[in-house]
């Protein structure tokens, strides 16, 4: 069961990063309506250059030589990573962390889909049933409720997070596809992070709004934002590495089943921050709101566990 504790580290750390991201978004925007999350996207992506640089020094250039097709696949994984982050940050900008982030429970559903088409693993009937429960609970979570009726579905948040989940699922599948077939975990990580960082450089040069956001953040809140981003990205890298490593030991869907605990961590951390550190972040913790968020999250967890059976 050593894989379980490795996999369990990921959802806890990801939950911490979720709330740090929410705080960074509020800090980054400040009182200005002209500043978006583009700068944060660049902070996240450019950090890939730091990670790949460290791996380059540790592993040495000679050990990083792998087949060209593997490089292309891992480059695709890196591109998927930055795309997933962009979609996720825009969704986080729109609503509470405890509403947005639990929608990552749809990642295992996309994992099943990609495992079938890329790895040839056929999903079971019970996994399909679990997937349906997750989807229904996710729709309820991302909705405005009036009693027991759905008043309005937050379509933008659902679309952004479903798309983000799809790309995150594809990352693990592509990473496993390359690494299990005779590859090395850290070498594969180098190429993935390198692609992530190069994507950031391209965005910096091509997307003017992102560039302006990034440069403005360096001028006004540079030290604070940089230190918090470094902390968040280090934590995220540890979580991501733990997840990828666990995925090498057992099927990807099994690793994602452990991530069913992530909404619990997000939910509890959100309550703790709101009660004890409201200046960092505040969420609606009224009895009605807790019920409307807690019940769908519980069913999403149940759906994920069912997928494990």
């Amino acid at each position: 069961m050593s894989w379980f504790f490795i996999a369990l580290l990921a959802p806890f750390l990801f939950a911490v990063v979720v709330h740090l991201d929410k705080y960074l978004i509020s800090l980054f925007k400040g009182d200005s309506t002209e500043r978006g999350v583009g700068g944060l996207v660049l902070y996240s992506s450019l950090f890939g250059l730091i990670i790949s640089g460290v791996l380059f020094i540790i592993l040495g250039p000679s050990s990083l030589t792998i087949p060209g097709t593997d490089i292309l696949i891992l480059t695709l994984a890196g591109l998927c990573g930055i795309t997933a982050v962009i979609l996720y940050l825009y969704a986080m900008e729109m609503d509470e962390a405890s509403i947005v982030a639990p929608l990552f429970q749809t990642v295992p559903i996309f994992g099943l889909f990609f495992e079938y088409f890329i790895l040839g693993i056929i999903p079971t009937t019970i996994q399909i049933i679990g997937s349906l429960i997750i989807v229904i609970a996710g729709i309820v979570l991302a909705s405005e409720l009036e009693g027991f009726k759905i008043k309005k579905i937050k379509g933008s948040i659902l679309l952004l997070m479903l798309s983000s989940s799809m790309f995150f699922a594809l990352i693990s599948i592509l990473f496993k596809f390359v690494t299990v077939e005779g590859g090395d975990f850290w070498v594969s990580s180098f190429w993935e992070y390198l692609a992530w960082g190069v994507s950031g450089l391209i965005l910096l040069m091509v997307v003017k709004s992102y560039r302006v956001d990034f440069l403005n953040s360096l001028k006004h809140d540079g030290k604070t934002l940089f230190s918090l981003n470094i902390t968040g990205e280090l934590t995220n890298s540890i979580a991501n590495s733990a997840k990828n490593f666990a995925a090498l030991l057992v099927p990807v869907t099994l690793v994602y089943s452990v991530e069913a605990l992530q909404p619990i961590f997000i939910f509890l951390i959100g309550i703790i921050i709101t009660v004890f550190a409201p200046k960092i972040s505040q969420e609606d913790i009224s009895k009605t709101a807790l019920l409307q968020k807690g019940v769908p999250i519980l069913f999403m967890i149940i759906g994920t566990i069912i997928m494990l059976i």
Side-chain angles (χ1 to χ4, degrees):
M1 290 292 289
S2 59
W3 68 268
F4 175 80
F5 296 103
I6 296 173
L8 184 64
L9 180 64
F12 172 74
L13 293 179
F14 279 136
V16 173
V17 173
V18 161
H19 286 285
L20 181 58
D21 286 341
K22 187 64 177 179
Y23 175 64
L24 280 169
I25 290 173
S26 63
L27 182 65
F28 187 85
K29 288 182 70 66
D31 297 324
S32 173
T33 57
E34 298 178 357
R35 294 170 63 181
V37 300
L40 294 180
V41 171
L42 292 180
Y43 274 110
S44 178
S45 58
L46 292 175
F47 190 75
L49 294 178
I50 298 177
I51 297 296
S52 60
V54 171
L55 291 174
F56 181 86
I57 294 172
I58 294 175
L59 299 174
S62 60
S63 63
L64 298 174
T65 302
I66 60 175
T69 53
D70 288 351
I71 293 177
L72 289 175
I73 292 173
L74 292 170
T75 298
L76 178 59
L79 293 174
C80 288
I82 187 59
T83 303
V85 168
I86 291 173
L87 296 168
Y88 155 70
L89 288 176
Y90 277 116
M92 282 287 283
E93 191 179 26
M94 298 168 64
D95 214 324
E96 296 179 3
S98 60
I99 291 177
V100 174
L103 294 174
F104 275 135
Q105 292 303 101
T106 58
V107 171
I109 299 174
F110 290 106
L112 286 175
F113 178 84
F114 289 127
E115 279 195 331
Y116 174 72
F117 284 101
I118 297 177
L119 303 179
I121 300 175
I122 301 175
T124 63
T125 302
I126 198 69
Q127 287 176 324
I128 295 174
I129 293 174
S131 298
L132 291 175
I133 293 175
I134 293 173
V135 170
I136 294 172
I139 292 174
V140 174
L141 181 63
S143 300
E144 295 179 6
L145 302 180
E146 195 172 76
F148 293 99
K149 296 182 179 180
I150 294 178
K151 181 180 179 181
K152 179 183 177 182
I153 296 177
K154 301 174 182 179
S156 297
I157 292 176
L158 267 178
L159 179 61
L160 287 169
M161 288 306 296
L162 287 176
S163 300
S164 180
S165 296
M166 179 187 70
F167 283 112
F168 273 124
L170 187 57
I171 293 170
S172 292
I173 297 297
L174 293 174
F175 189 92
K176 182 171 184 176
F177 180 79
V178 171
T179 308
V180 169
E181 296 296 325
D184 179 89
F185 174 79
W186 294 111
V187 173
S188 296
S189 296
F190 164 80
W191 288 105
E192 180 186 349
Y193 281 116
L194 180 62
W196 189 295
V198 171
S199 299
L201 288 176
I202 294 174
L203 289 174
L204 179 64
M205 293 184 291
V206 174
V207 185
K208 182 180 179 181
S209 61
Y210 283 19
R211 183 169 63 253
V212 171
D213 286 344
F214 182 71
L215 294 177
N216 283 340
S217 72
L218 291 177
K219 292 178 182 178
H220 300 292
D221 308 295
K223 292 183 179 179
T224 301
L225 287 170
F226 184 76
S227 60
L228 289 175
N229 268 281
I230 287 293
T231 301
E233 293 304 326
L234 282 173
T235 305
N236 191 67
S237 296
I238 294 172
N240 190 54
S241 295
K243 181 184 69 175
N244 283 339
F245 189 76
L248 299 179
L249 304 176
V250 294
V252 172
T253 50
L254 195 58
V255 174
Y256 285 139
S257 70
V258 177
E259 286 198 80
L261 295 177
Q262 184 174 329
I264 294 178
F265 291 131
I266 295 170
F267 192 59
L268 294 178
I269 292 173
I271 294 174
I272 292 172
I273 292 176
T274 300
V275 173
F276 296 102
K279 291 184 178 181
I280 295 178
S281 179
Q282 293 188 44
E283 297 197 355
D284 188 350
I285 56 173
S286 63
K287 290 183 179 179
T288 301
L290 291 177
L291 183 65
Q292 290 179 346
K293 290 185 288 188
V295 173
I297 286 175
L298 177 61
F299 273 96
M300 294 179 84
I301 294 171
I302 292 173
T304 306
I305 294 176
I306 288 176
M307 291 177 66
L308 174 61
I309 298 176

